[in-house]
Amino acid sequence: MENSTNNIDLLFKKKFEDFQPKPPESVWEKIKANLPKNPIGGLSGSSFVKTFVVILILAVPAYFLINFQEKPVKPPINKKTVPNTKLTIKNTPKIAEIEIEPISSDVVKNDEITPTLVNKKIAKPVSIKEEAQKTQITENKTVIVNIPEVEEQSFIIADNDLLLAYLPKENPQITTKKSTVNFNSKSEVTVFNTNERKKGNFNLGVFVNPEMIFYPSDDIPNKTNLNLNLSISYNFSNLFFESGLGIGLAKDNGNFNIDYERYEYLGSYENVYNVTFDSTENGVIPTFYTNTVDVYDSIRHVQISQTQNCYTYLQIPLFIGYKINSNKFSYSIKGGTSLSLLIFEKIPEAVLPSGNISIINLNEDNPGRIKTLWHFMFSAGIEYKLSDRMSIAIEPTFRYYMKSAYERNYFTTKHPFSIGLRTGVLIKL
Amino acid sequence: MHSEKKIIEKCLKNDTKAQEKLYRLFSQKMFGVCLRFAKNKMEAEDILQEGFIKVFSFLKNYRNEGSLEGWIRKTMINTAINYYRKNARFANEVDIDNYEVKQNVNESVIDRFAANELLKIINTLPDIYRLIFNMSAIEGYTHKEIGEIFNISENTSKSQLMRAKSILQQKLKEFENK
């Protein structure tokens, strides 16, 4: 027993100084599952990249769709013979109704309306005098314009590419409604048809969609969500594409198990601190001197504090659908995917018991939500036209989650689904 | 140090990557602590898990006054104490002097043991002996602090430590004779 020492403490301490065993990987996985999820400010790098890519994917087609919409469609210029015609403009404030009738059946030699006839974009409105004007358009074509009871008339200025009016031989008298006549300084006449429709159009929609989410494998009450969406759809013939942005609001009940001790009053007892014995005729009588002693002790309690957690998701949908229009009503079906990103969560602190307490353990038992969710969504809807530009819509929706919104250690359902009713207003742009 | 501060800031924003970084930075050291306080590996894992959840939950309370490692270590030890205090039973006080005399351990004996083997010996101690031995002998808690934590007198703490050391000494001798 050489080198004997009674300092067993130091020997053990020294031995454990560099003792650093590696814990199993499962420990971190369990910790991660129990940690509060990050709000929008804490989006990790990979999540940010994913979000950026999705937005880019949506933005690129949207950009081309918008450009396609804004670029004027060039209608073919009709290369038919223009007879001598008389143009009568009936008075309307901005859009003139034009009646064109032939003065004679002679056919002009020029076989087509030459580009020089067509006005370039005119910067300011042109006035038209009251009296009828006789205007030489080309050598062989005369147009008489009668504008009764009109002192001064402004016309919509249009691009020369939109020249649409023509006077076919077979139909010498044509009434072109909602057309615009433009006169330049040389009294040349250009007739534009503003009634021409573009093939596609955009609709802007504002929707509210309350949903009920079902978790078939879990014995829990069904959950409700409220979604608010701003959608933009592009109609192309009967097909339409829809995207937009939405906010999804969800709530969960959370529990905190509070294991604590409180120094509490338990009661009191009479403490005998002295006894005296007095001898009387009847014998010895003891007299007890007492005082009251209060008893306190640390009592252990377990309390469950219930909280309500709120979660906000940013939703980016992308749908394709088919629509049938009939008078006031339109019927549609659509399907697609929707990406939900958890952008904000509010998890209240546990409400601690009052008084002088000492917390032994505080366990948070809140269902953890995952940050990125993909869904498939299908709906069938009816639209009712309130006016040319505005309609209301109602759509029952079905949403199928590609994975559960919760961490797997809380819920066993892999693919929850939800049923909702989407209602809103659509405005034609 | 600068990067540690950055990691803390990110952890406070619940950045999962920063939390994982912090965990990787200290998990091995803390697992060593947990293994000493725990009865077995499974319980040590539970304590480590619970401890780190507390670290991330209450990181906002860390005031940069001491080292972060010290603060995390204290959280782990408190978690371990809470884990076992429910079942902790204190034996009667003993005459400390009697035990002081018996505590002669040959240094070379301990040198022969690997940390893992010593750990096995510590793990065989009853809960309260193990806790007090770890707190006092290895972590450097005073008997006053231990007394306050377990709501016992300093003498009780001292006598528990003596018992623990005595058992350890006995076990070491048994190992030595094998």
Side-chain angles (χ1 to χ4, degrees):
Chain A
M1 295 289 269
E2 70 279 2
N3 293 332
S4 221
T5 176
N6 63 355
N7 203 349
I8 194 170
D9 312 25
L10 283 176
L11 294 175
F12 271 86
K13 194 173 180 177
K14 198 176 156 193
K15 206 77 188 176
F16 283 114
E17 253 168 14
D18 298 320
F19 182 54
Q20 293 180 16
K22 199 178 174 188
E25 202 54 35
S26 61
V27 177
W28 168 243
E29 294 304 320
K30 286 176 193 169
I31 292 169
K32 202 165 78 169
N34 284 289
L35 289 177
K37 302 295 165 294
N38 58 350
I40 189 166
L43 265 183
S44 62
S46 61
S47 302
F48 182 79
V49 170
K50 280 179 204 164
T51 311
F52 180 74
V53 167
V54 169
I55 290 170
L56 198 67
I57 288 167
L58 294 173
V60 170
Y63 172 78
F64 284 109
L65 283 174
I66 289 164
N67 276 357
F68 179 64
Q69 166 76 6
E70 284 177 348
K71 198 173 178 182
V73 179
K74 286 188 179 180
I77 296 172
N78 216 308
K79 296 182 178 177
K80 290 208 172 183
T81 307
V82 181
N84 288 349
T85 55
K86 177 186 167 188
L87 247 80
T88 309
I89 300 176
K90 287 181 181 174
N91 181 25
T92 55
K94 284 187 177 176
I95 298 171
E97 188 172 287
I98 305 161
E99 288 179 4
I100 304 167
E101 53 188 54
I103 293 170
S104 70
S105 58
D106 296 334
V107 174
V108 287
K109 287 176 186 173
N110 287 24
D111 219 12
E112 59 183 69
I113 297 172
T114 59
T116 51
L117 279 176
V118 180
N119 288 332
K120 291 287 176 191
K121 211 167 190 175
I122 298 168
K124 55 184 180 180
V126 179
S127 299
I128 300 168
K129 297 298 175 189
E130 184 180 1
E131 59 192 60
Q133 296 180 29
K134 200 169 186 179
T135 309
Q136 187 69 34
I137 297 177
T138 65
E139 285 176 7
N140 302 311
K141 192 172 74 173
T142 303
V143 176
I144 298 167
V145 181
N146 290 321
I147 314 170
E149 295 171 11
V150 177
E151 190 144 300
E152 193 167 292
Q153 178 70 57
S154 295
F155 293 91
I156 294 169
I157 299 160
D159 195 282
N160 61 359
D161 286 334
L162 288 172
L163 180 63
L164 295 169
Y166 65 92
L167 304 169
K169 267 196 263 184
E170 307 84 43
N171 190 2
Q173 185 163 335
I174 297 169
T175 299
T176 312
K177 290 194 175 179
K178 291 183 183 175
S179 294
T180 303
V181 177
N182 195 4
F183 294 86
N184 69 1
S185 55
K186 292 175 186 172
S187 298
E188 291 169 344
V189 178
T190 312
V191 183
F192 305 102
N193 187 352
T194 55
N195 202 30
E196 182 70 9
R197 287 255 171 226
K198 290 165 187 173
K199 277 190 175 178
N201 60 55
F202 279 96
N203 283 335
L204 188 71
V206 181
F207 291 93
V208 177
N209 184 13
E211 284 180 324
M212 180 77 80
I213 308 173
F214 299 90
Y215 290 83
S217 308
D218 293 286
D219 186 21
I220 55 157
N222 299 325
K223 304 229 164 223
T224 52
N225 263 17
L226 182 66
N227 303 311
L228 307 168
N229 308 111
L230 186 67
S231 76
I232 185 150
S233 59
Y234 178 72
N235 299 310
F236 187 81
S237 182
N238 286 89
L239 286 176
F240 65 93
F241 300 96
E242 189 181 308
S243 186
L245 285 175
I247 293 289
L249 305 170
K251 284 182 179 177
D252 276 333
N253 288 328
N255 289 321
F256 284 91
N257 296 318
I258 309 167
D259 188 359
Y260 67 98
E261 275 182 351
R262 183 157 47 200
Y263 200 58
E264 288 179 2
Y265 173 73
L266 295 180
S268 62
Y269 66 90
E270 293 301 309
N271 178 42
V272 180
Y273 62 89
N274 198 9
V275 187
T276 57
F277 298 93
D278 297 318
S279 300
T280 62
E281 289 173 357
N282 299 325
V284 179
I285 297 173
T287 306
F288 296 93
Y289 296 88
T290 63
N291 60 357
T292 306
V293 178
D294 292 334
V295 179
Y296 291 87
D297 199 2
S298 294
I299 306 296
R300 193 158 180 184
H301 300 269
V302 175
Q303 183 179 305
I304 292 172
S305 166
Q306 278 205 333
T307 55
Q308 192 165 61
N309 307 333
C310 300
Y311 302 90
T312 306
Y313 289 91
L314 176 70
Q315 297 171 330
I316 306 167
L318 186 61
F319 302 124
I320 183 167
Y322 186 81
K323 188 185 273 186
I324 300 166
N325 298 308
S326 72
N327 291 334
K328 286 271 182 185
F329 287 95
S330 301
Y331 307 94
S332 65
I333 52 165
K334 69 180 176 198
T337 60
S338 173
L339 171 67
S340 288
L341 301 165
L342 182 64
I343 54 168
F344 178 75
E345 61 181 357
K346 186 184 167 191
I347 300 173
E349 297 282 323
V351 181
L352 298 177
S354 58
N356 185 16
I357 60 160
S358 146
I359 303 282
I360 297 167
N361 216 348
L362 182 66
N363 281 331
E364 192 181 331
D365 188 21
N366 290 324
R369 283 186 176 246
I370 54 176
K371 288 172 222 153
T372 311
L373 285 172
W374 284 94
H375 325 122
F376 285 120
M377 193 171 145
F378 306 94
S379 73
I382 301 174
E383 278 175 36
Y384 177 75
K385 281 180 192 163
L386 297 173
S387 67
D388 277 352
R389 294 192 62 193
M390 187 177 279
S391 51
I392 52 171
I394 185 163
E395 297 172 20
T397 61
F398 175 81
R399 200 188 290 262
Y400 180 80
Y401 289 65
M402 288 185 209
K403 64 179 176 182
S404 172
Y406 295 96
E407 300 286 355
R408 286 300 306 281
N409 52 343
Y410 287 99
F411 290 86
T412 50
T413 300
K414 278 186 189 172
H415 303 290
F417 62 89
S418 68
I419 293 171
L421 193 64
R422 192 169 182 249
T423 52
V425 180
L426 283 160
I427 297 164
K428 193 177 271 183
L429 297 178
Chain B
M1 198 65 190
H2 180 64
S3 67
E4 198 175 79
K5 208 170 179 182
K6 268 190 173 176
I7 293 173
I8 294 171
E9 278 169 17
K10 284 184 178 177
C11 285
L12 289 172
K13 289 177 187 167
N14 292 330
D15 183 329
T16 314
K17 284 200 169 171
Q19 287 168 331
E20 187 171 357
K21 221 171 191 175
L22 188 79
Y23 171 80
R24 304 272 175 223
L25 210 58
F26 296 110
S27 63
Q28 288 188 219
K29 275 185 187 172
M30 296 309 139
F31 193 46
V33 174
C34 294
L35 280 169
R36 274 192 286 108
F37 277 82
K39 206 182 289 178
N40 52 48
K41 201 182 166 200
M42 265 179 67
E43 290 185 356
E45 286 173 22
D46 283 350
I47 294 166
L48 185 73
Q49 181 193 328
E50 206 179 317
F52 264 105
I53 290 168
K54 280 183 185 170
V55 164
F56 292 126
S57 302
F58 298 106
L59 195 59
K60 57 189 173 215
N61 297 342
Y62 172 61
R63 308 268 176 226
N64 285 313
E65 282 162 3
S67 74
L68 180 63
E69 185 186 330
W71 183 79
I72 294 174
R73 196 182 186 97
K74 205 163 185 180
T75 307
M76 289 296 155
I77 294 169
N78 286 339
T79 308
I81 292 167
N82 283 332
Y83 197 91
Y84 291 107
R85 73 188 298 170
K86 308 165 208 172
N87 304 318
R89 294 283 176 269
F90 295 92
N92 296 327
E93 286 183 26
V94 292
D95 187 351
I96 296 161
D97 294 336
N98 289 344
Y99 281 100
E100 296 262 9
V101 178
K102 293 176 188 171
Q103 286 192 35
N104 294 324
V105 175
N106 190 340
E107 191 172 349
S108 63
V109 170
I110 290 192
D111 277 344
R112 270 181 248 150
F113 289 99
N116 269 328
E117 289 168 319
L118 289 179
L119 188 68
K120 277 180 193 168
I121 297 171
I122 293 176
N123 289 158
T124 59
L125 289 173
D127 288 351
I128 192 64
Y129 293 162
R130 199 175 60 250
L131 293 181
I132 290 179
F133 176 77
N134 271 302
M135 289 168 79
S136 171
I138 300 175
E139 301 297 338
Y141 281 59
T142 64
H143 287 293
K144 194 181 172 193
E145 286 171 326
I146 295 170
E148 279 167 8
I149 289 168
F150 290 110
N151 206 16
I152 55 174
S153 70
E154 282 184 50
N155 273 343
T156 308
S157 169
K158 281 178 191 170
S159 73
Q160 304 296 316
L161 180 65
M162 291 305 122
R163 279 174 187 268
K165 283 180 178 178
S166 169
I167 296 170
L168 284 176
Q169 195 178 12
Q170 209 178 324
K171 300 253 179 195
L172 284 170
K173 276 180 185 169
E174 282 171 20
F175 267 80
E176 194 183 16
N177 294 332
K178 275 182 187 176

